[in-house]
Amino acid sequence: MCGRMALTLPHDAMVQLFGAAPANDLPDSPSYNICPTQAVGVVTSDGGQRRYRPMRWGLVPHWYKTPTDGPLLINARAETIAEKPAFRSAVRERRCLVPISGFYEWTKDARDNRLPWYIHPKDGGALVLAGIWQDWQRGDESLTTLAIVTCAAGAGLDHIHHREPVSLAPDDWAKWLGEEGKGAAPLMQAAPKDRFEAYRVDPAVNSNRAQGPDLIEPLDDGGE
């Protein structure tokens, strides 16, 4: 699962990393607590021309009469993505890269308290997630929305949660974007065991209003 994210790297760095043309209306960066329904910077490709552009997190299927006409689809399961009506067209035709710095996951203690963890690449670089996107329009209202692809958690993260977002190595970015033809399905798998560092962070991040670099600092007494 992926329910909150952080991007601490500047948009200029993302533009350079992907060789993409930037949009003018990118969301604020850094952002230490990106929540569903907020804008996220993503990379798309049209005929090999890459764009770095904002999308609303939470895919809205084209048949929704309003953006809240059904469940908020922030994640798409890799195992069923090609079958689900909300996702099957997008995974064939509209895949995107979602560069972030890290994401949050939660465990619970004996008293049922939610304990947040921050998970990020050990090398400190960008974490590039696999996404799918969809345009939605009703009357004068239009949205471009996305969902993060998830898979069963690998050995590096399964002690925290049974799902993890699909993350892509640089050699796989072009394949996921459709720049190298078909064959992206094998990319939807767990990350290598040694890719991530995970540690407990302050429960302040449990509030979707919380912001600031303190959210991603390790707790003195927690995590690994």
Side-chain angles (χ1 to χ4, degrees):
M1 177 167 181
C2 182
R4 300 275 189 88
M5 305 184 291
L7 177 62
T8 65
L9 304 168
H11 289 313
D12 286 350
M14 299 298 95
V15 168
Q16 184 174 1
L17 180 64
F18 296 103
N24 294 322
D25 53 349
L26 291 165
D28 291 341
S29 178
S31 181
Y32 296 90
N33 192 9
I34 303 169
C35 304
T37 74
Q38 294 180 346
V40 184
V42 308
V43 178
T44 59
S45 181
D46 183 5
Q49 298 298 309
R50 293 183 179 181
R51 295 179 58 202
Y52 184 54
R53 50 190 290 213
M55 292 187 187
R56 180 184 182 268
W57 186 14
L59 189 141
V60 178
H62 66 84
W63 61 82
Y64 277 22
K65 295 179 180 178
T66 70
T68 57
D69 196 33
L72 185 63
L73 305 176
I74 64 172
N75 295 151
R77 294 175 65 95
E79 298 88 343
T80 57
I81 194 170
E83 305 165 7
K84 296 292 185 180
F87 305 137
R88 62 191 180 198
S89 175
V91 77
R92 290 195 305 267
E93 303 169 7
R94 294 181 299 280
R95 298 191 296 270
C96 61
L97 306 176
V98 187
I100 60 173
S101 300
F103 64 98
Y104 299 95
E105 194 50 80
W106 281 261
T107 55
K108 289 186 177 182
D109 64 14
R111 292 174 292 179
D112 215 32
N113 295 312
R114 298 179 74 233
L115 309 177
W117 296 68
Y118 183 60
I119 302 164
H120 68 98
K122 286 183 177 179
D123 63 10
L127 173 61
V128 180
L129 305 184
I132 57 173
W133 62 277
Q134 172 73 53
D135 284 325
W136 176 90
Q137 184 169 4
R138 283 293 184 277
D140 295 333
E141 186 177 10
S142 62
L143 296 170
T144 301
T145 62
L146 80 138
I148 303 295
V149 182
T150 68
C151 63
L157 296 177
D158 59 358
H159 64 294
I160 299 175
H161 198 274
H162 66 284
R163 305 289 296 178
E164 69 175 82
V166 171
S167 56
L168 302 171
D171 288 347
D172 297 327
W173 296 347
K175 176 67 74 174
W176 185 255
L177 287 175
E179 296 171 346
E180 295 180 350
K182 299 180 179 180
L187 303 179
M188 294 187 287
Q189 57 184 319
K193 182 178 180 180
D194 60 352
R195 177 173 292 179
F196 296 117
E197 179 182 9
Y199 52 77
R200 285 275 316 285
V201 292
D202 195 292
V205 76
N206 291 353
S207 168
N208 59 14
R209 299 185 187 91
Q211 274 295 343
D214 291 349
L215 297 182
I216 64 172
E217 292 297 319
L219 281 182
D220 291 339
D221 61 345
E224 65 175 272

